[in-house]
Amino acid sequence: MRRPDVRRRSILLVPLALLLGALACGGPPSDGDADAPAQAASVDEPRLVVLYATCTVKPYMLAPYDPAVGYTPSLARFAAESVTFPHHRSESGQSGPAFATLFGGVQADRHGVYGHPTPIDPDDVTLITAHFANAGWDVHTWLEHPMASAALGYAAGTPENQRYDHKLTAEDPVFAGVLARLAADPSYRALVVTNFTVTHGPYQRAPLDAFCADHGDRCGAYTDDPAGFDFLADFYQRAHAFLSYDFEATAEFAGLASAQWPQLAAVVELLYRANVANLDRLFGAVVDAVDDAGLRDASVIAFTADHGETLFRDGTLFKWTHGHQLAPEVLAVPFILRAPGRAEPGTVYGGISRSIDVLPTLAGLVGLMPLPPPLDGAGDVDDPLGPHAVVGRDLAPALRGEMPPPALRAFSHTSLLAEAVVEASRRWGLMHRYYPRVDVDLIWAAVHAEGDDGVDRVAQLRRTPEDRIVPHLFEIADDRYEQRDRYDAQDRTQRRLLRDLKTYRDRMITIYHERHADAPQLDDAHQRELLDSLGYIGG
């Protein structure tokens, strides 16, 4: 089934003034030269870039991805001025590798973060903060996420006194100072990066009353039976890890009958939605602060996330979690990009995009190109180009209408567990059957690609508890949750895609053993502290 034509609407329609501006700066790449460096869109480049990268956001619960959602009005307004990427994929469903990919424009074979918590080595990858700082931008980071913090190396290139360990908010006096300086000084350029989570499990109750006051029609699980809601919400929050990693055994042990499972699912989903609404409010206030400072047309703002979330549905091994299965709502990531004058507002990007493309695209939109290219093949770890290479693609030429969206394939993988999680998983029989040891050879892999026939396919290689690697194939146009396996060993298109996926998986494993297996790690106590802060080993 071919993709609907609407997916390629209007982003290829370029206003005449923008086209003339591009030609004045040297013109678009020549026909057939998809890898040519992007040209500056105009002499007046943006002076503020905001990379707003939060954690654990299921895109299908945001208005830009589902018009029926009414509790993310800020993102709905933002998307009306922006380009929405409906087929955006993360490298991993775990925050450490995912943020390393997002900030570095490369995957784990280069950035070395196969699981978390893992320090990122500046000798392995140059992050967006360092690229912009090296180009003369003033860089500020608000990195609250414990798995991708400045302490773990995720703020490389940022001055020490401009690294903050809390989330960015509109009221932050430092942020207000950056906006005031931008408004007063046309020569000043600033990159603002934030990561944090208000939507990670166990989902919190704090935003619930405000959510239900505004969206009472969605709060029946809370308002119809407050005592029952309190009981199930408390059960979920106390037993979160057990419920996530071995749901059926935990429910049976707790005496939760299968007839109550839908009630529990409704309670937990309501908590998650309330937290998403809170995230929408926080993001909207930051965008309003930029606009109120008169910087709308001088800014590029990207909203994205490290990974999504499964919640509760049939067909998933693990509930209300993310990192250890290839669930589509985990690897699918929101990406909404506002770039006035450089991308047609209110449009939908027509191709596959990936977290590795965010860095080069932001750089391309502000004229910070070309970035260093990747080495051929695995490359030589001692080659000076290696640590600075960017593997992701600059999508700015496609956003400006100079070329169609490039045909990309999005490769993803599950994560390497920390020893503390493996130990804890002995209490969770299901998780332990799939991940019984700390071993990179246990990773699963997936690729999302559009074939020459126009069909969107996702191929997977999953490991079974019997140590078999099993292929799966899904055609996702009419199977968003990848529940109908269409693997056919006789199908040539599938065989080619799975062959390339096997090559990717083998490469990731081989390079881990060659380059990253002996990299410095956090001590056990520090690992446990960080993992426990996000509920990975609690319960």
Side-chain angles (χ1 to χ4, degrees), residues 92-177:
S92 173
Q94 198 173 59
S95 297
F99 277 119
T101 296
L102 178 61
F103 291 173
V106 296
Q107 288 197 280
D109 56 337
R110 292 181 180 273
H111 62 59
V113 181
Y114 281 71
H116 67 209
T118 301
I120 195 165
D121 189 338
D123 291 335
D124 288 331
V125 59
T126 300
L127 301 182
I128 185 172
T129 43
H131 280 298
F132 274 71
N134 292 340
W137 289 62
D138 189 31
V139 179
H140 292 256
T141 56
W142 281 264
L143 304 183
E144 186 181 63
H145 200 290
M147 304 301 177
S149 63
L152 292 180
Y154 285 76
T158 310
E160 291 283 348
N161 65 340
Q162 294 177 186
R163 302 177 180 185
Y164 315 106
D165 60 2
H166 52 271
K167 69 174 70 67
L168 173 66
T169 63
E171 301 80 17
D172 190 293
V174 175
F175 182 52

Side-chain angles (χ1 to χ4, degrees), residues 272-415:
Y272 181 77
R273 289 182 188 273
N275 282 272
V276 170
N278 183 40
L279 170 63
D280 180 79
R281 178 187 61 80
L282 293 169
F283 174 68
V286 168
V287 175
D288 287 347
V290 172
D291 293 354
D292 291 346
L295 297 168
R296 180 188 179 279
D297 293 339
S299 64
V300 172
I301 301 178
F303 175 89
T304 190
D306 54 353
H307 55 71
E309 191 78 319
T310 56
L311 299 186
F312 187 100
R313 68 169 175 85
D314 292 336
T316 56
L317 277 172
F318 308 118
K319 316 298 183 184
W320 303 302
T321 188
H322 34 266
H324 312 302
Q325 59 190 329
L326 300 171
E329 63 268 47
V330 168
L331 297 179
V333 183
F335 182 34
I336 309 169
L337 179 62
R338 193 181 79 173
R342 289 156 183 83
E344 191 72 14
T347 58
V348 174
Y349 183 77
I352 293 171
S353 58
R354 310 155 306 178
S355 290
I356 56 174
D357 302 322
V358 172
L359 162 55
T361 299
L362 292 178
L365 286 168
V366 301
L368 191 66
M369 294 294 285
L371 297 175
L375 298 171
D376 293 333
D380 180 354
V381 72
D382 295 323
D383 190 305
L385 280 180
H388 307 288
V390 172
V391 177
R393 286 289 297 272
D394 172 20
L395 305 180
L399 296 175
R400 292 194 297 262
E402 299 167 0
M403 59 179 284
L408 302 176
R409 295 185 297 176
F411 289 93
S412 305
H413 61 89
T414 58
S415 300

